[in-house]
Amino acid sequence: MQSSNFANIVSGALIALVNISVAISVAALLFAQTDSRLMVPGIAILLIGTFVTGLGGSLFSDHKAVICSPRNGLVPLFAVMVTSIYASFGNQYSIGAETTIIVAIMVTTMITGLFLLLLGRMKMGNLVRYIPYPVTGGFFAGIGYIFIQGGLTVASGQEFSLASIRSPEFIQLITPAVVLALCLIIGKMFRDNRLSVPGILLLSIMIFYGTLALGGISREEAALQGLLPSIETTGSLIPVLNLDLLSEVKWIAISQQLGGILVVALLSAMMLLLDVSGIELISRKDLDPDHELEVMGMTNMANSMVGGFPGVHDVSDTALVDRLGGKDRLTGFVYAAFVGAAILAGAEFMEIVPTFLLGGLLIYLGLEFLIDWLWKARDELPMSDYVVVVLILIVIIFSDIL
């Protein structure tokens, strides 16, 4: 029993550390690229979404050791939403712009929760079977490209372009991020890769700070050189929304995002149902997709009220904790506890995470999308379907529709 509890605690803690790092990376991509002053609320939104969905899944899912979290595949849609709302304020930072973006995400999470709950109540858990696989594959391959592009931007602190490749400073800043991403990909190729991701991340941080110490470089100097993020700290990350500022919200700007909000809800349902199918293979038992839809529906409705990013089941994280020995609800409770501790630690804590790690994680996630939906699909799809996947990817790259 003690050994089982230890495995649950270790697996929950490790996956929490990975997802905390991912949340900061995604916040840097999604918010800081629009305006650095949105970084702190962005981190809060991602971490709160991770905490609430993780706790909700652990409490109510039929799979005891499930890991639920905000899904990276939704980020491009939210990026469009954030930049569009920011543009409606003349691309100038203001309390009104920040509050409107936060409320838009809260509204999106609430509608996503209601949609998932409705699908579950209407017994539509088999909905995913009617979505053409090549369309799904092309979309997620496109998301992979966007994550790689975003990772290079986050690591270098400048917008990625072909011209930037000629800059020695750009190459110097992105090289560690690219190396980290490749190490993470290679680490997952080993038969026993349970500790590869958290192990490589921890080792990278140790090497980074060891190098700073040997070079006599302070954290302030590292931040000036772009090696550490410069976050305009505000102390606590909670509450995300100050209710006294609701009068500043530009509701018309939120209403203009209705189409994107509905797509987020539909994609969340797709991801949930696809990953529930994968979790069934891990657990070797059938799960009721309608029940899982209802669980995440109610969880995201609660998540919305505290300002969290929408989240659902994550089969890859669930598979990782399973291989680490996480078999019970204690795994999810430890996971949520660590994320909750990061939220309480405040924004200052986030300044210790190197920018190469934030960018490298995004590049790694992008490579995973491309490997799964482009490379591996070569042998899994008929040629006609595979061509559709490639064409959708090309359209996404050159049309800038995401």
Side-chain angles (χ1 to χ4, degrees):
M1 179 66 69
Q2 289 182 343
S3 175
S4 175
N5 286 339
F6 179 75
N8 285 314
I9 292 170
V10 170
S11 59
L14 287 175
I15 199 64
L17 293 174
V18 171
N19 281 355
I20 289 168
S21 300
V22 170
I24 301 170
S25 298
V26 170
L29 172 63
L30 184 54
F31 298 96
Q33 299 307 309
T34 300
D35 191 296
S36 61
R37 286 163 288 193
L38 297 175
M39 181 70 168
V40 170
I43 291 171
I45 288 167
L46 267 297
L47 287 179
I48 288 171
T50 304
F51 172 77
V52 176
T53 56
L55 185 60
S58 298
L59 284 170
F60 303 113
S61 173
D62 283 342
H63 183 65
K64 293 181 179 179
V66 70
I67 298 296
C68 300
S69 64
R71 299 307 303 272
N72 300 317
L74 301 175
V75 171
L77 296 169
F78 277 97
V80 172
M81 184 186 301
V82 169
T83 54
S84 181
I85 291 174
Y86 198 70
S88 73
F89 285 85
N91 288 314
Q92 296 293 322
Y93 176 82
S94 65
I95 293 298
E98 178 180 319
T99 305
T100 301
I101 289 170
I102 292 171
V103 171
I105 293 173
M106 294 174 71
V107 169
T108 304
T109 304
M110 175 61 74
I111 291 176
T112 298
L114 287 169
F115 182 68
L116 297 177
L117 180 62
L118 179 64
L119 289 180
R121 291 284 171 86
M122 295 177 65
K123 307 298 180 185
M124 297 182 68
N126 290 322
L127 177 69
V128 71
R129 296 180 181 178
Y130 301 101
I131 301 170
Y133 188 88
V135 174
T136 304
F139 179 80
F140 285 118
I143 288 174
Y145 163 77
I146 290 169
F147 266 80
I148 292 173
Q149 185 182 50
L152 295 173
T153 298
V154 168
S156 65
Q158 57 182 283
E159 194 69 33
F160 170 73
S161 66
L162 293 178
S164 61
I165 297 176
R166 295 194 291 268
S167 167
E169 181 185 4
F170 177 83
I171 297 299
Q172 180 182 353
L173 289 171
I174 70 164
T175 298
V178 173
V179 170
L180 173 62
L182 294 176
C183 287
L184 290 169
I185 290 292
I186 293 170
K188 292 194 71 174
M189 293 179 180
F190 290 100
R191 183 180 299 274
D192 187 6
N193 59 14
R194 292 172 292 179
L195 298 175
S196 64
V197 173
I200 291 171
L201 292 179
L202 289 173
L203 180 61
S204 298
I205 293 175
M206 292 171 61
I207 292 173
F208 174 79
Y209 278 100
T211 303
L212 290 188
L214 290 174
I217 302 173
S218 67
R219 280 177 51 189
E220 291 75 17
E221 291 173 324
L224 288 174
Q225 296 176 30
L227 303 176
L228 287 171
S230 296
I231 299 174
E232 296 190 14
T233 56
T234 59
S236 175
L237 293 174
I238 50 177
V240 174
L241 176 67
N242 184 341
L243 296 179
D244 294 335
L245 298 176
L246 281 177
S247 60
E248 301 284 340
V249 175
K250 186 184 286 189
W251 293 100
I252 187 66
I254 296 176
S255 67
Q256 290 169 347
Q257 307 304 316
L258 181 59
I261 291 172
L262 295 177
V263 174
V264 167
L266 178 60
L267 275 179
S268 296
M270 285 173 53
M271 293 174 182
L272 185 154
L273 294 171
L274 285 169
D275 281 20
V276 165
S277 298
I279 292 170
E280 287 178 328
L281 297 176
I282 296 169
S283 62
R284 296 181 178 84
K285 71 173 185 180
D286 291 335
L287 297 175
D288 181 359
D290 297 315
H291 171 74
E292 303 302 319
L293 282 167
E294 291 188 37
V295 166
M296 279 298 105
M298 290 183 285
T299 296
N300 276 294
M301 290 166 66
N303 187 19
S304 166
M305 296 176 188
V306 290
F309 197 93
V312 293
H313 301 57
D314 191 315
V315 67
S316 59
D317 286 354
T318 303
L320 176 59
V321 298
D322 182 78
R323 295 192 64 193
L324 289 169
K327 303 292 183 182
D328 299 314
R329 298 193 190 278
L330 177 60
T331 299
F333 296 151
V334 171
Y335 166 67
F338 268 76
V339 177
I343 295 170
L344 295 176
E348 291 86 351
F349 159 74
M350 311 305 171
E351 290 185 311
I352 68 173
V353 183
T355 52
F356 86 87
L357 189 144
L358 301 179
L361 269 174
L362 291 172
I363 296 170
Y364 160 68
L365 294 171
L367 289 173
E368 279 215 312
F369 274 115
L370 289 176
I371 289 170
D372 288 340
W373 297 95
L374 192 65
W375 181 257
K376 292 181 179 178
R378 296 175 310 142
D379 301 322
E380 298 172 357
L381 294 177
M383 181 56 67
S384 57
D385 287 351
Y386 185 71
V387 169
V388 173
V389 172
V390 174
L391 287 175
I392 292 175
L393 172 60
I394 293 172
V395 168
I396 289 173
I397 292 173
F398 290 102
S399 67
D400 198 29
I401 62 174
L402 288 182

